[in-house]
Amino acid sequence: MANLLNGTNTSKAQSGEMTLTVLGCGTLGTCIVSGILSSLSDLQHPTLQSKTPSGFTTPAEDLPENIPRRFIACVTSKTSVRRIEKALSSLTDNLTILQNENLRGVREADVILLGCKPYNLKAVLSERGMQEALRGKLLISILAGVPVSQIQDTLYPDGGQDTESEPRCRIVRVLPNTASILRESMTVVATSTPPLPQHLDSLVTWMFTRIGQVRQVNPALMDVCTALCGSGPAFFSLFMEAIADGAVAMGLPRKEALFMAAQTMKGTAAMILEGEHPAILRDKVSTPGGCTIGGLLVLEEGSLRGTAARGLREATVVASQLGKGVQGVNGTRF
């Protein structure tokens, strides 16, 4: 197989039939493939633009030189086979589902999305022939808490040279979050050293903007991004539940309270994404002598700001320890 990393693709990739294999095609992998398939449908029917739940259409954009048009989903159980068939088979005829045939899936791929459980990493990548099957290919990891160095050590335990005749695969770490299921993910991509070739960088960004927004950060910041973007939905849900509880206590039915809280948070987020600074927005709502400033002072007296920031810092430290393989992290205060 020719080397995808230097821009010389396989004959199929050159003809626009790049193959994407998902190793461990769980919920997140299925969301990513579904998002790509929806975009391919938009390309074929440009007058029909898919919308996110927020109501925004995907903007026009420059496509990478090659994008996946053939897909392979690798799973271990018949239940997973049925789940993927139900979710994706109606969207494409170019989907192959392989059960317990990871090596075949990698051999037939140009790009591999690593989506297995982190504890299965060694079993998946240490399979005989896997190192050779990955030569010259792009391996995108969405494994939570697993740094690129750990994947490299698993694939190449004896080191080994990266040569033109026997190139290593190129590994990229990507962190999507749970909102991928609604294509509203905040996905963080760790920058690579040396930098990815432009055609691969464009491909990675394009793939993950199918399920939301993408930002690139230094790998040293991936732990705080794990805390902010990965744990963030839980933190925001806790606050939303808390203010809904307050509304229930004051007589509002819970169903209505949760809906109003969620819509209010969604609208606030939309304004901030449009450029409004949170402090300015807060000040605009705080009428002198009004209910908003009264409520804000109670929240400040309860150290909401400091407690929320401390929770984020704690989650960052825990994420960094988990990435080092430390056990029982939350049993010890740092």
Side-chain angles (χ1 to χ4, degrees):
M1 172 173 276
N3 188 357
L4 176 66
L5 302 185
N6 61 22
T8 58
N9 306 331
T10 65
S11 58
K12 285 187 176 181
Q14 288 174 333
S15 64
E17 294 184 13
M18 178 183 284
T19 298
L20 170 67
T21 288
V22 184
L23 282 182
C25 192
T27 301
L28 192 51
T30 303
C31 289
I32 293 168
V33 174
S34 176
I36 293 174
L37 290 173
S38 294
S39 289
L40 293 177
S41 177
D42 290 344
L43 291 175
Q44 294 172 355
H45 307 284
T47 58
L48 301 176
Q49 290 187 319
S50 60
K51 291 187 177 182
T52 64
S54 61
F56 294 103
T57 58
T58 302
E61 59 186 332
D62 294 330
L63 291 177
E65 181 180 348
N66 289 300
I67 57 178
R69 296 181 186 273
R70 179 173 177 256
F71 304 89
I72 300 174
C74 295
V75 295
T76 59
S77 69
K78 290 187 179 298
T79 300
S80 295
V81 171
R82 290 192 292 268
R83 171 180 55 80
I84 295 171
E85 286 177 339
K86 181 178 180 181
L88 300 177
S89 291
S90 62
L91 300 177
T92 181
D93 295 326
N94 292 323
L95 172 68
T96 302
I97 305 174
L98 302 178
Q99 184 180 349
N100 297 317
E101 292 188 87
N102 288 345
L103 191 57
R104 175 187 164 189
V106 173
R107 283 173 174 163
E108 295 183 15
D110 300 291
V111 178
I112 298 90
L113 185 69
L114 184 61
C116 63
K117 299 295 184 184
Y119 58 78
N120 284 333
L121 174 66
K122 186 173 183 179
V124 170
L125 295 186
S126 298
E127 183 178 351
R128 184 184 296 273
M130 186 62 73
Q131 185 182 118
E132 292 74 18
L134 282 166
R135 280 178 184 165
K137 298 180 180 180
L138 178 64
L139 178 64
I140 303 172
S141 170
I142 56 172
L143 273 57
V146 179
V148 169
S149 59
Q150 184 177 341
I151 299 173
Q152 289 175 331
D153 292 342
T154 303
L155 263 177
Y156 309 105
D158 300 323
Q161 298 297 316
D162 185 11
T163 65
E164 186 174 346
S165 60
E166 293 187 357
R168 289 185 174 190
C169 69
R170 195 65 189 271
I171 305 169
V172 179
R173 184 182 177 190
V174 179
L175 175 69
N177 71 13
T178 189
S180 300
I181 195 169
L182 296 177
R183 298 181 198 165
E184 292 287 358
S185 174
M186 180 60 256
T187 299
V188 181
V189 179
T191 54
S192 300
T193 304
L196 281 179
Q198 181 58 44
H199 67 286
L200 294 184
D201 185 70
S202 297
L203 174 62
V204 172
T205 299
W206 182 86
M207 284 176 56
F208 287 92
T209 51
R210 304 311 95 195
I211 57 169
Q213 298 294 322
V214 175
R215 289 292 184 272
Q216 294 192 4
V217 302
N218 187 291
L221 297 174
M222 287 299 280
D223 290 327
V224 66
C225 290
T226 297
L228 179 59
C229 306
S231 304
F235 300 155
F236 298 144
S237 293
L238 178 62
F239 180 74
M240 188 185 304
E241 187 178 24
I243 59 173
D245 282 346
V248 171
M250 299 308 293
L252 197 62
R254 180 165 296 279
K255 182 178 179 180
E256 294 301 316
L258 282 173
F259 177 83
M260 292 179 189
Q263 178 59 36
T264 301
M265 184 175 284
K266 178 181 176 181
T268 304
M271 287 189 284
I272 292 171
L273 288 172
E274 287 296 315
E276 189 79 88
H277 192 282
I280 295 175
L281 179 58
R282 185 185 71 243
D283 192 57
K284 284 181 178 179
V285 183
S286 301
T287 305
C291 60
T292 302
I293 189 63
L296 284 171
L297 288 174
V298 170
L299 294 176
E300 294 284 11
E301 288 166 3
S303 301
L304 174 65
R305 184 191 300 269
T307 301
R310 184 181 176 189
L312 192 287
R313 289 156 55 204
E314 176 77 4
T316 301
V317 173
V318 171
S320 70
Q321 295 299 303
L322 290 174
K324 297 175 183 176
V326 179
Q327 301 295 315
V329 178
N330 283 309
T332 304
R333 302 297 297 179
F334 292 96

